[in-house]
Amino acid sequence: MITEQHRIGSGFGAHSTADDVLTGIDLTGRTALVTGGYSGLGLETTRALARAGARVVVPARRPDTARAALSGVTGTEVWELELADPEGVRAFADRFLDTGRALDILIANAGVMACPETRVGPGWEAHFGINHLGHFALVNRLGPALVPGGARVVSVASSGHFLSDIRWDDLHFRAGYDRWLAYAQSKTANALFARHLDTLGADRGVHAFALHPGSILTPLQRHIPHDEQLAQGWITPDGKPAEGFKTPAQGAATAVWAATSPLLDGHGGAYCQDCDIAEPATTDDMLIGGVKPWAVDPKAAARLWEVSSELTCLDSFS
Ligand SMILES: NC(=O)c1ccc[n+]([C@@H]2O[C@H](COP(=O)([O-])OP(=O)(O)OC[C@H]3O[C@@H](n4cnc5c(N)ncnc54)[C@H](OP(=O)(O)O)[C@@H]3O)[C@@H](O)[C@H]2O)c1
């Protein structure tokens, strides 16, 4: 069944926070994993899930920084993980599987944006390699730990996907690099990944969702000079977030909602925004958002899965 992209009236919206959407939800006894769960939106996601009672595993490429950010947040544990390193992903997953622990929630949140041209792993373009293939490999390797009949995988995409479909003929920008198209392609890939994972996981009751968190000032913008952020209209001249931007706690809300809301039962594969299923995009305004057709196309999702599986030599769901 293909999920329709239409709002379902969750009762939450753009101003809801991660704590708001968890009101009345008890995650005691549940285990969640949040990649990059020690910075920006991931940190707020981790805090909210832990406050609701979950045990939260936080894979971090800078474990000391992660431990410092999470000090005082009970119920969290930091494990080293570099998503750009396929061997590191394998070692992380093996170590986790060896514990015999189960995962109820996996939030693929970590990401980079608009970096200078960088190659990772066997020469992959870095956005595609980290944001998409790193998470593709992680989820496939952790597949056996996902709780049958209940686990949810949440892929943090972006309305940045508006700028690019998957570049089937040049996934790794061999013919010329553009940092925004590289980010955009990786975010389209995040959305398609959730769609096909949901299709493949449905038989064992593992569901997946993708989302745009909103626009939020976080360390994600580290590669964007102040003047460019000003010109883009992201910040005011005094460096404050522009109108329409969310706080990190609001930015974490849709991921937490997608990971936990019973209202999403039966809507697996949906692309969400503002704590609801997103409508099809009717403009190119990323602040308004919505979802473009190429980010939820089931045939493209199946094709991307196949390509990703070939690149990583992994497929534990088909
Ligand atoms: N902020 C926004 O307006 C916005 C809008 C749309 C979508 N998003 C998406 O939201 C997600 C979270 O972004 P954020 O705004 O919270 O940014 P952030 O504060 O920069 O957090 C990103 C996290 O990803 C981690 N990470 C980056 N590269 C990694 C790698 N190779 N291996 C392992 N971890 C890695 C970072 O680790 P280090 O801190 O150690 O570098 C950091 O913890 C991203 O997927 C982003 O695309 C954000």
Side-chain angles (χ1 to χ4, degrees):
M1 189 191 81
I2 302 300
T3 289
E4 297 283 328
Q5 284 296 148
H6 293 300
R7 291 177 69 82
I8 52 174
S10 69
F12 298 110
H15 299 292
S16 305
T17 65
D19 284 338
D20 290 341
V21 303
L22 284 170
T23 304
I25 294 182
D26 181 4
L27 297 177
T28 305
R30 306 288 184 86
T31 301
L33 180 150
V34 182
T35 62
Y38 57 102
S39 176
L41 311 182
L43 177 57
E44 293 301 327
T45 300
T46 299
R47 283 181 177 145
L49 293 173
R51 267 194 293 266
R55 181 93 197 151
V56 189
V57 174
V58 178
R61 66 171 167 177
R62 294 185 298 146
D64 292 344
T65 304
R67 282 189 196 98
L70 292 168
S71 75
V73 185
T74 50
T76 61
E77 53 193 276
V78 172
W79 292 41
E80 186 161 6
L81 174 66
E82 169 53 74
L83 283 164
D85 170 19
E87 270 309 298
V89 174
R90 184 192 56 71
F92 171 91
D94 285 353
R95 195 177 145 217
F96 188 85
L97 293 176
D98 280 350
T99 66
R101 292 164 72 184
L103 270 181
D104 301 278
I105 294 170
L106 192 164
I107 302 187
N109 161 83
V112 289
M113 181 176 80
C115 327
E117 183 171 7
T118 312
R119 302 276 149 195
V120 300
W124 300 331
E125 186 287 312
H127 294 83
F128 195 71
I130 294 167
N131 299 359
H132 171 57
L133 292 173
H135 283 122
F136 179 90
L138 182 69
V139 171
N140 272 280
R141 291 209 180 266
L142 289 176
L146 293 170
V147 174
R152 285 191 183 180
V153 175
V154 175
S155 178
V156 181
S158 168
S159 62
H161 79 264
F162 279 25
L163 295 179
S164 180
D165 195 348
I166 301 297
R167 298 155 52 94
W168 300 107
D169 297 330
D170 188 17
L171 290 173
H172 298 291
F173 290 80
R174 309 283 182 210
Y177 183 67
D178 180 300
R179 64 200 170 118
W180 285 114
L181 295 184
Y183 180 66
Q185 169 176 252
S186 75
K187 292 291 135 179
T188 292
N190 288 161
L192 292 174
F193 168 64
R195 188 141 281 221
H196 200 62
L197 176 60
D198 188 79
T199 302
L200 296 177
D203 279 354
R204 59 170 111 155
V206 170
H207 289 288
F209 303 90
L211 65 105
H212 169 55
S215 299
I216 309 99
L217 293 186
T218 67
L220 188 71
Q221 292 89 22
R222 70 191 76 173
H223 297 293
I224 319 299
H226 179 271
D227 285 355
E228 190 178 338
Q229 295 195 40
L230 206 52
Q232 292 269 12
W234 296 352
I235 52 173
T236 59
D238 54 2
K240 300 232 167 66
E243 205 182 320
F245 272 53
K246 296 183 179 182
T247 64
Q250 291 168 339
T254 304
V256 170
W257 180 76
T260 58
S261 175
L263 293 175
L264 278 173
D265 289 348
H267 295 282
Y271 176 100
C272 304
Q273 173 184 320
D274 295 339
C275 309
D276 205 325
I277 295 179
E279 292 283 336
T282 51
T283 75
D284 288 331
D285 186 336
M286 290 186 227
L287 210 51
I288 295 172
V291 64
K292 293 286 187 183
W294 56 80
V296 285
D297 178 72
K299 284 199 182 114
R303 184 177 175 190
L304 179 67
W305 189 279
E306 202 179 321
V307 169
S308 308
S309 172
E310 279 166 15
L311 288 167
T312 59
C313 303
L314 288 169
D315 186 354
S316 68
F317 288 89
S318 294

